[in-house]
Amino acid sequence: MTAQWTDDQDVDATLRAVLIDVLGLAPTQVAGFDDATALFGALPEFDSMAVAGLLSELEERLGILIEDDEVEAEMLESYGRLRTFVRAKALQ
Amino acid sequence: MTISGLNYDRYSVEGKEEWVMRIGPADRPALLILAPLLEEMNRTRALLAATMRRLAERGWTCLLPDLPGTGESERPLERCTWDDWRKAVRAAAPSPLAGIVAIRGGCLLDDAVPSQGVWRFSPVDGAALVRDLDRAGRVSDGGAAGYTLSPALAGALADAVPAGHARLRTLRLSSDPGAADRKLDHAPLWRRAEPQNSYELVDLIASDIDEWMRVCGAS
């Protein structure tokens, strides 16, 4: 359905913008992220303090609440996994 | 003589002396600056100082109080209450007070004292700040976040929401879905581990504050 696909695009754009703003990454670098791009442990900017700020900023921008027990190491491993998690929270 | 009009004054609350950073001569119309709370305050300190300097150039005096338990305060944060912070805002405000400039969590305190106009930037509910503080404390085992709130202060902060005002102007970032009178296209400086300043943002918000406070008749 077209409307849902549009929301999907918005969520993806929001996630990329938050990565740029919170981690201080270059927009060109983040624009090149695909599902397989490794994040936590692979990007020096993406440490555990940055994860806290990232989750809080996603909550504010998307109007969602992320509980502690929902956050697993695997979901932070790659851009694709993080986007899948955020999409499920935002579009539920 | 002072360096670029910068002074450190004292104010007294609950029998304790606290510090106020003042930029501008004391006899001018005064704007009380209510900074973001906790770690967000540290990340926006340069933005606030530069904005205060700009406003002083436009004829205002800006006062930035240290809340009890924060900044250079000698009181331990873990013994401070929400009511202490509200009393501190009242005690730090000069009479007459022209206006209040409140950013992020500072907006939760901008109704503690009456003013002719309130200007807000990115107001946030206390519950979101407590969630962020808890999250940062957990990932760092309670160490690096460096803020230990009393249960009473954390509880009151979690319940705090920005109050209504007769003369209120609200600015937010374009990325923020909340309602605002104006949106600015900028990154949230208070999220960055390495604080950054933007003179473009400083110019934008200083001009907006100056114009709004004049509309409110505060000058």
Side-chain angles (χ1 to χ4, degrees):
Chain A
M1 292 199 299
T2 316
Q4 200 167 351
W5 188 79
T6 307
D7 286 343
D8 219 28
Q9 296 287 79
D10 287 348
V11 171
D12 184 73
T14 299
L15 177 56
R16 287 180 197 267
V18 168
L19 285 167
I20 292 166
D21 288 347
V22 175
L23 304 182
L25 301 173
T28 47
Q29 181 187 359
V30 175
F33 283 5
D34 60 26
D35 282 357
T37 304
L39 297 180
F40 191 65
L43 287 175
E45 296 87 352
F46 205 159
D47 62 9
S48 44
M49 282 304 286
V51 170
L54 179 89
L55 297 177
S56 294
E57 186 65 13
L58 284 169
E59 285 188 335
E60 265 191 64
R61 290 198 197 184
L62 295 170
I64 58 175
L65 289 180
I66 301 168
E67 302 301 337
D68 258 14
D69 56 13
E70 295 176 300
V71 182
E72 291 163 355
E74 296 79 47
M75 94 189 206
L76 301 168
E77 273 173 6
S78 68
Y79 183 75
R81 282 183 175 242
L82 181 58
R83 188 178 56 187
T84 301
F85 172 80
V86 171
R87 188 162 48 197
K89 291 297 291 185
L91 302 179
Q92 68 188 350
Chain B
M1 289 293 289
T2 58
I3 300 166
S4 13
L6 172 66
N7 294 270
Y8 289 93
D9 300 338
R10 305 306 298 258
Y11 75 100
S12 180
V13 59
E14 304 280 280
K16 301 277 188 196
E17 296 273 295
E18 304 287 354
W19 292 98
V20 183
M21 184 170 96
R22 169 165 60 87
I23 300 183
D27 56 357
R28 289 198 190 154
L31 302 178
L32 187 66
I33 315 292
L34 299 179
L37 302 177
L38 308 167
E39 180 59 22
E40 290 190 1
M41 175 185 62
N42 300 324
R43 294 176 174 185
T44 50
R45 185 85 180 177
L47 174 79
L48 291 182
T51 303
M52 289 167 71
R53 238 179 256 122
R54 271 303 185 287
L55 287 167
E57 288 164 11
R58 291 171 179 242
W60 304 93
T61 282
C62 295
L63 302 165
L64 174 64
D66 276 349
L67 295 174
T70 74
E72 303 301 319
S73 173
E74 290 171 20
R75 292 180 62 184
L77 177 61
E78 58 269 28
R79 280 196 234 140
C80 295
T81 65
W82 185 243
D83 197 45
D84 288 337
W85 282 5
R86 296 186 64 86
K87 280 182 187 152
V89 170
R90 279 195 288 279
S95 182
L97 173 62
I100 294 181
V101 171
I103 299 100
R104 299 284 294 165
C107 303
L108 302 168
L109 295 164
D110 63 19
D111 60 325
V113 64
S115 68
Q116 294 185 50
V118 175
W119 184 96
R120 283 178 178 161
F121 185 38
S122 194
V124 64
D125 287 353
L129 298 178
V130 171
R131 287 177 68 82
D132 186 55
L133 183 69
D134 286 348
R135 187 173 273 146
R138 272 190 298 270
V139 296
S140 64
D141 297 324
Y147 296 96
T148 311
L149 305 185
S150 69
L153 176 52
L157 177 58
D159 289 338
V161 292
H165 290 284
R167 283 179 171 167
L168 171 66
R169 179 170 170 81
T170 302
L171 271 64
R172 290 184 186 274
L173 298 173
S174 351
S175 57
D176 182 338
D181 297 301
R182 183 181 179 188
K183 295 227 170 171
L184 301 179
D185 202 9
H186 203 277
L189 298 169
W190 46 86
R191 291 283 182 223
R192 295 290 282 273
E194 291 162 56
Q196 297 198 321
N197 206 359
S198 155
Y199 284 96
E200 188 192 358
L201 183 63
V202 167
D203 285 338
L204 278 173
I205 66 178
S207 298
D208 203 282
I209 293 167
D210 181 45
E211 283 162 26
W212 172 242
M213 292 303 173
R214 286 175 202 281
V215 166
C216 292
S219 64

